[in-house]
């Protein structure tokens, strides 16, 4: 029983310590893992596993290890922010794998990327032919950024000299039949207004609504729950 209690305490303390560490590291390190972030996750995870399976590793040693590791990460982030030349050592650099529509085999070999893998990365960006690409950059997180050839690029409103328009985030008023009153209040709407709008769409009961969202530009969008 004592061993189970020890595991519970160590896991709980380890969890909150890791949460605190991720807060200190910032959101950028959690968005897309670079090689340095990958190493950090492995090492920190090993600290927690030692707390559970190694009888000689008490929770205070694990907390010290996590804290010291956090200090190292903070120092490395500080160094890379202050000294640009250090970034090449701690962080991978973007690599141009396609330039002017031509695939650079030397850059691919240097980054250990073969053609099949490159094609997979391009398909993930909705690019299915090399003929569409002007430039492609392999990012430090393993993703690829693509600039299409001018004739194949998407046309914008500015290109067509059309007047601009404002875009706002949609506010969810109903989710799975539940009215979200705080969103109504933020949007300056009332529950009665929402019910009236639903009645105009032939919906008497808000519980029948799977999703209802509203934007000033295009009004209320409603999708009802279809019977199974």
């Amino acid at each position: 029983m004592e061993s189970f209690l020890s595991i519970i305490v160590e896991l709980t303390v380890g969890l909150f310590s890791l949460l605190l560490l991720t807060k200190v590291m910032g959101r950028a390190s959690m968005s897309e893992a670079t090689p340095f972030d990958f190493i950090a996750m492995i090492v920190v995870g090993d600290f927690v596993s030692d707390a559970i399976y190694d009888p000689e590793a008490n929770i205070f040693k694990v907390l010290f290890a996590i804290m010291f590791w956090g200090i190292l990460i903070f120092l490395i982030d500080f160094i890379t922010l202050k000294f640009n030349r250090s970034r090449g050592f701690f962080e991978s650099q973007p690599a141009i794998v396609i330039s002017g529509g031509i695939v650079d085999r030397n850059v691919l070999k240097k980054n250990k990327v073969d053609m099949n893998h490159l094609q997979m990365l391009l398909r993930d960006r909705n690019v299915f032919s090399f003929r569409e690409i002007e430039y492609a950059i392999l990012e430090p997180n393993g993703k690829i950024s693509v600039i299409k050839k001018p004739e194949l690029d998407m046309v914008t409103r500015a290109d067509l000299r059309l007047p601009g328009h404002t875009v706002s985030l949609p506010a969810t008023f109903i989710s799975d039949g539940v009215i979200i009153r705080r969103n109504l209040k933020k949007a300056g709407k009332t529950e009665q207004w929402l019910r009236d709008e639903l009645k105009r769409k032939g919906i008497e009961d808000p519980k029948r609504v799977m999703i209802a969202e509203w934007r000033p530009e295009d009004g209320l969008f409603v999708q009802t729950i279809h019977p199974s």
Side-chain angles (χ1 to χ4, degrees), residues 18 38-54 57 62 65-66 69:
L18 291 177
F38 182 68
I39 294 171
M41 287 186 288
I42 292 176
V43 172
V44 173
D46 191 51
F47 291 156
V48 178
S49 66
D50 283 345
I52 301 171
Y53 299 110
D54 189 352
V62 174
I66 292 176
W69 184 253

Side-chain angles (χ1 to χ4, degrees), residues 43-159:
V43 172
V44 173
D46 191 51
F47 291 156
V48 178
S49 66
D50 283 345
I52 301 171
Y53 299 110
D54 189 352
E56 296 183 2
N58 60 57
I59 193 64
F60 298 105
K61 289 183 179 179
V62 174
L63 285 175
F64 173 78
I66 292 176
M67 182 180 68
F68 183 71
W69 184 253
I71 292 171
L72 285 178
I73 293 174
F74 178 80
L75 287 174
I76 291 170
D77 287 341
F78 178 80
I79 291 170
T80 54
L81 282 173
K82 292 294 183 181
F83 306 101
N84 289 338
R85 293 183 179 180
S86 65
R87 296 176 185 176
F89 178 77
F90 291 109
E91 302 173 358
S92 301
Q93 296 297 315
I96 301 176
V97 294
I98 298 178
S99 178
I102 306 299
V103 179
D104 192 326
R105 290 192 64 193
N106 292 329
V107 176
L108 288 179
K109 287 181 179 179
K110 184 179 178 181
N111 288 275
K112 307 296 187 294
V113 176
D114 58 31
M115 289 300 294
N116 288 338
H117 188 60
L118 178 61
Q119 286 178 300
M120 181 194 73
L121 293 173
L122 291 172
R123 288 194 296 269
D124 191 52
R125 302 292 296 173
N126 290 324
V127 177
F128 295 88
S129 173
F130 287 100
R131 290 174 291 185
E132 303 176 30
I133 307 166
E134 187 70 19
Y135 290 95
I137 302 171
L138 184 65
E139 302 292 355
N141 57 17
K143 300 284 186 179
I144 199 163
S145 301
V146 175
I147 298 177
K148 290 186 177 182
K149 292 183 178 180
E151 62 271 20
L152 298 174
D153 205 2
M154 293 182 65
V155 178
T156 65
R157 296 180 68 87
D159 295 329

Side-chain angles (χ1 to χ4, degrees), residues 161-180:
R161 300 182 183 275
L162 296 175
H165 63 279
T166 58
V167 177
S168 57
L169 288 173
T172 302
F173 288 166
I174 300 177
S175 178
D176 287 326
V178 178
I179 297 175
I180 305 175

Side-chain angles (χ1 to χ4, degrees), residues 21-34:
L21 180 61
T22 55
K23 290 287 185 181
V24 172
M25 291 171 63
R27 295 186 182 184
S29 62
M30 294 184 289
S31 56
E32 293 288 351
T34 63

